[in-house]
Structure formats: C-alpha cells, structure tokens
Amino acid sequence: MVWKLSIFSTVLKWLCSRPKRRPAKASGFRLLGSIANDDVRARVVIGSALRKAIQDSELELFYQPQISTKNNMLYGVEALSRWHHPTLGTIPPSRFIPIAEETAQIEAIGLWSLEQACIQIVKWDKIGLHVPIVSVNLSAAHFSNPTLTENIVNLLEHYRLSPNRLTIEITEGGMMQQNAETMTTLTALRDIGVGLSLDDFGTGFSSLSRISHLPLTEIKIDRSFIINFEKDVSSIIVTEAAINIGKRLGVHVVTEGVEDTFQETRLRAMGCDVMQGYLFARPMPPSDLLHWMQTRPILAPS
C-alpha cells in the first residue's frame, strides 16, 4: 500500500506541474488504476483458487520442530499450512492466509488443519515416532464458533488421541478481540485438556491483566525480538521480561525465529523453555520428520 501511495504522489505532482498535458493526466491515472486493479484481480484469482484448493485437498501441512531446552529433546511441532497451486505455483501463507480471512475461508482451513494434524499424529505413532504435541494455528473467528470445542472433542475421540497431544495457537492480536463467547470457548478447551498458546507475544499490545486471566499453557515470543539480539539491547531486555512473565504465570515460554547459536545461548541463559527456528530445523513435510529425528545431533542437557 505504501508504494502505491508513493506512485500516486509522484504522478499527482507531475500532473500539477504540467497543467496543459491533458493526455498525460489520463495516462497517469490509467497507470495508477491498472496497478490497483491488478492487485484486486490477483486477490480475486487467489481467493477463487483457494476455495477450490480446500475442496480438492491441494493444501498440505508442514511441521517445524520445537526443542526443549531442559533436555534438548523434541518438545513438539508446529503445523504450518503450505499451498502449491498447479498453475500459480507456490503461494506463501503470508499471501493466502489474509485472503482466506477476508473471504471467510479461514475457518475451513483451520478445521482442515486440525483434522490433518490428528491424522498425522496417528501415522507417526504407528511407525514408532512419538511427537508429544502438535500445535495448530486458529484465527479469532474460530473462537466465536460455539461448535469449536465439540468439533475438537469429536476429532480426538475419533482418532483416539489424548487432548494434551494438541495445542491451539491464537495470535495476541486475535486474543485482544476476545469477548464472553471467546472466553467460554477457551475455558472449555482447557477443561478438556487441550493446550492453548498465545502466539506472537509482544506484538499485540495486550495488557498483562488481560493475559493473566487467560487459560494459557504457553506463550510464544515473536521472532521480531529474537532477530535483533546482536544489535538491539532493548530486544534482549523485552525478551527476558517476557520469559519472566511466562514463568510467573506458570506457562511454558516458546521463542520463535532462533537462527544462530548466539541467540540460542542467550535464550538458554534467560531460562527460555522451548526454542523453534532454522537453527534446529525448517518446516518440513511429515515424511521428513523421522529422518530429521534419526540424524539430528543430540546435545547434552543444559
């Protein structure tokens, strides 16, 4: 949006300096209109293709490992949606997830992700690969649906899974939209034993008093704090404060975006419980997780 406004400003200044060039004015606005229309058309195309992708099972889940700092073993994995369209190619989540939210398709993706995660846990169990927890991201819209808890209960019963094998993630920004109905759903999920994670912690400006009343089992510190460790002392201070808040609340603290040993060492010193990032593994297809587990170096517990 910023670059479009910049183009608009440049075109407008040029037109003002050339008042007699009427054709140029029309041409300038046609250019601006074409840029805007191209973006709109792209969103319409992706939105339509996404609807078909959900129906035809074109989406897939990749899984990124999370490592416990206590014993350096697998704490769990986060399920991440991926989409490779046969014609459009690979479409990143940063592109199709916002469109899914705008077109009310995000709930279908969330429910699909929940079931696929349950199916995958069963498959891993059958080959002797124990993945303690799978985290699935849901949008704020899911928590306004009164049938969410029932749907999850039915999935767990159908696939004969313990509720503590599943954690539901909701962003801090989404949590700020909470209402009585949302709180009822969150409480019901915790009552059945499903984990609840507050994602992107530190970016939503939510009050500590509000967080303290949420039935959370973990908070996830946003990667934007971690990537600036070596250059920004304030990022380290905020991260350490967030870790201490998590400990006071009695929840696990997960840090995302850990990419180098400097970050890892600092987070261990701060007492972070779980780390996730490219230093350990990138998101991978479910079939690759067993190989990763068998070949990854096992460090001595810190």
Side-chain angles (χ1 to χ4, degrees):
M1 182 60 72
V2 172
W3 67 270
K4 289 180 186 177
L5 291 176
S6 177
I7 290 176
F8 180 79
S9 177
T10 301
V11 172
L12 187 59
K13 288 179 181 178
W14 185 77
L15 290 174
C16 290
S17 66
R18 304 287 296 272
K20 296 181 180 181
R21 299 288 299 273
R22 298 296 180 182
K25 178 177 180 179
S27 176
F29 279 107
R30 277 199 299 271
L31 171 63
L32 183 64
S34 176
I35 293 171
N37 289 336
D38 283 347
D39 185 64
V40 171
R41 279 194 293 268
R43 298 177 78 84
V44 170
V45 169
I46 292 175
S48 177
L50 181 58
R51 187 171 290 104
K52 187 175 184 298
I54 296 171
Q55 295 172 350
D56 297 349
S57 302
E58 287 180 8
L59 300 179
E60 59 180 326
L61 289 182
F62 275 37
Y63 298 87
Q64 186 170 32
Q66 301 167 325
I67 306 301
S68 170
T69 58
K70 182 179 180 180
N71 55 20
N72 292 308
M73 301 299 287
L74 183 68
Y75 170 82
V77 296
E78 180 182 2
L80 300 162
S81 299
R82 294 291 184 264
W83 180 22
H84 184 81
H85 189 273
T87 304
L88 301 175
T90 299
I91 303 174
S94 59
R95 181 61 168 159
F96 73 81
I97 292 297
I99 295 176
E101 291 175 339
E102 292 173 8
T103 56
Q105 298 183 77
I106 194 66
E107 284 198 67
I109 292 176
L111 294 176
W112 168 84
S113 297
L114 284 169
E115 181 160 23
Q116 291 303 307
C118 289
I119 292 172
Q120 190 56 58
I121 293 173
V122 172
K123 289 182 178 179
W124 280 327
D125 285 348
K126 285 183 177 179
I127 63 172
L129 175 58
H130 179 64
V131 178
I133 300 171
V134 175
S135 297
V136 177
N137 296 275
L138 295 185
S139 72
H142 289 94
F143 293 88
S144 298
N145 187 337
T147 66
L148 176 62
T149 303
E150 181 183 354
N151 289 336
I152 292 177
V153 168
N154 290 338
L155 283 174
L156 293 171
E157 290 180 348
H158 179 74
Y159 294 104
R160 299 181 180 180
L161 294 173
S162 173
N164 61 12
R165 303 286 301 275
L166 187 65
T167 288
I168 304 300
E169 293 189 14
I170 182 173
T171 64
E172 187 177 2
M175 192 65 74
M176 289 191 67
Q177 303 174 26
Q178 63 176 285
N179 49 39
E181 191 175 55
T182 299
M183 282 300 297
T184 298
T185 300
L186 291 171
T187 302
L189 289 172
R190 279 302 299 133
D191 286 344
I192 65 174
V194 171
L196 291 175
S197 177
L198 185 61
D199 198 10
D200 299 339
F201 183 71
T203 63
F205 305 102
S206 58
S207 67
L208 294 179
S209 60
R210 177 178 294 181
I211 292 175
S212 66
H213 289 91
L214 296 174
L216 301 173
T217 56
E218 70 175 40
I219 59 174
K220 296 188 74 174
I221 300 175
D222 188 69
R223 68 183 303 274
S224 60
F225 296 104
I226 312 303
I227 60 176
N228 293 321
F229 265 16
E230 292 191 80
K231 300 178 181 179
D232 187 2
V233 176
S234 62
S235 291
I236 295 178
I237 295 173
V238 171
T239 300
E240 188 167 19
I243 291 173
N244 290 329
I245 289 171
K247 291 186 176 298
R248 289 296 184 92
L249 293 175
V251 301
H252 284 98
V253 180
V254 181
T255 49
E256 297 180 293
V258 183
E259 298 184 356
D260 58 50
T261 54
F262 176 80
Q263 297 166 346
E264 178 193 14
T265 301
R266 293 305 297 263
L267 289 168
R268 286 184 183 276
M270 292 176 188
C272 176
D273 299 305
V274 181
M275 291 184 286
Q276 174 182 344
Y278 288 177
L279 178 64
F280 309 103
R282 292 175 177 267
M284 63 186 75
S287 58
D288 290 357
L289 189 63
L290 178 59
H291 176 72
W292 177 82
M293 285 288 291
Q294 292 172 336
T295 58
R296 68 177 288 259
I298 303 298
L299 304 175
S302 57

